[in-house]
Amino acid sequence: MLFRSATPFYIYNELAAMRIVDLLPKVKIIALLRNPVDRAYSNYYLGTRDGVEKMSFEDAIATEIKELEEDRSLSLNRYNQTRSYIVKGFYAEQIGIWLKLFPKEQVLLLASEDFAREPSKIMNQIFQFLKLPPFDIKDFEKTNLGKYAPMKDDTRRTLVDYFRPHNEKLYRMIGRNFGWN
């Protein structure tokens, strides 16, 4: 049976994970994770483009960090809210949901930065994981690219520092360092 879904919303939805394990216990899960700093910035610009975000990026992340410091239980409950630039980058919490339900052998975690640098290599890693023969894909045209101003250096440093313990928790969990720090 072939089941395919490409949405980032399942990764932090425990109910979706439980339904999938019930329906497809032997399914292979592939997650392409982006540096949480860059993911947050991209998500922010998606919100500004759609007209739902009016704050500056710096104000938006400061607001979310303050809310998280005041109530840590917000982390998993914030995912369905418009502004959750920080929480969506807590990958260890999200991946932990899946690793509780599926053996590590059924879960492939990749960094989007690796895919951008070496798409053919990463695709063949995916093919191998899926027990498919290698295939040389010739054209890796990037589509749906967002264009926005570069992040301020101070903001990037702040976010790298903020995400460091979360990234390290992920690295320990999966036994791999994506080099996001």
Side-chain angles (χ1 to χ4, degrees):
M1 172 190 284
L2 178 62
F3 176 77
R4 175 178 54 186
S5 179
T7 177
F9 304 115
Y10 289 148
I11 196 167
Y12 47 77
N13 187 317
E14 191 168 5
L15 181 58
M18 291 188 301
R19 286 180 177 165
I20 290 170
V21 77
D22 284 345
L23 291 171
L24 304 161
K26 299 207 184 289
V27 71
K28 297 219 175 182
I29 308 293
I30 302 170
L32 190 62
L33 304 175
R34 186 175 187 185
N35 180 326
V37 173
D38 298 322
R39 193 221 55 77
Y41 200 53
S42 176
N43 192 203
Y44 168 78
Y45 271 97
L46 179 65
T48 60
R49 186 192 72 195
D50 292 345
V52 296
E53 181 57 76
K54 305 296 185 206
M55 290 181 167
S56 71
F57 182 61
E58 289 71 21
D59 288 345
I61 61 170
T63 298
E64 186 173 353
I65 288 171
K66 183 176 182 235
E67 290 172 358
L68 285 167
E69 288 171 354
E70 290 172 358
D71 185 356
R72 186 68 184 139
S73 68
L74 288 175
S75 63
L76 288 175
N77 297 324
R78 289 186 55 83
Y79 290 127
N80 294 322
Q81 297 182 18
T82 302
R83 185 180 303 114
S84 55
Y85 310 123
I86 300 297
V87 171
K88 288 180 184 174
F90 293 169
Y91 296 135
E93 292 178 21
Q94 300 165 41
I95 297 303
I97 293 168
W98 296 86
L99 292 179
K100 281 188 228 167
L101 298 172
F102 293 94
K104 280 188 177 183
E105 300 77 41
Q106 287 178 231
V107 180
L108 178 62
L109 303 172
L110 303 165
S112 66
E113 297 81 10
D114 292 342
F115 182 71
R117 259 189 321 273
E118 300 179 288
S120 185
K121 177 183 173 185
I122 299 303
M123 286 305 300
N124 276 298
Q125 189 177 348
I126 292 169
F127 296 153
Q128 182 180 11
F129 175 71
L130 296 173
K131 298 186 182 336
L132 297 171
F135 185 78
D136 187 21
I137 300 173
K138 303 284 185 217
D139 183 20
F140 282 98
E141 180 183 346
K142 293 183 179 184
T143 59
N144 199 22
L145 296 174
K147 298 202 186 277
Y148 35 83
M151 187 185 310
K152 294 177 184 176
D153 290 341
D154 287 347
T155 305
R156 177 170 286 284
R157 279 191 296 274
T158 297
L159 288 175
V160 166
D161 289 343
Y162 186 83
F163 279 114
R164 183 171 284 113
H166 300 280
N167 292 341
E168 288 172 358
K169 182 178 178 183
L170 172 69
Y171 301 157
R172 283 189 306 274
M173 178 186 291
I174 66 172
R176 180 168 179 218
N177 185 327
F178 290 130
W180 292 330
N181 293 335

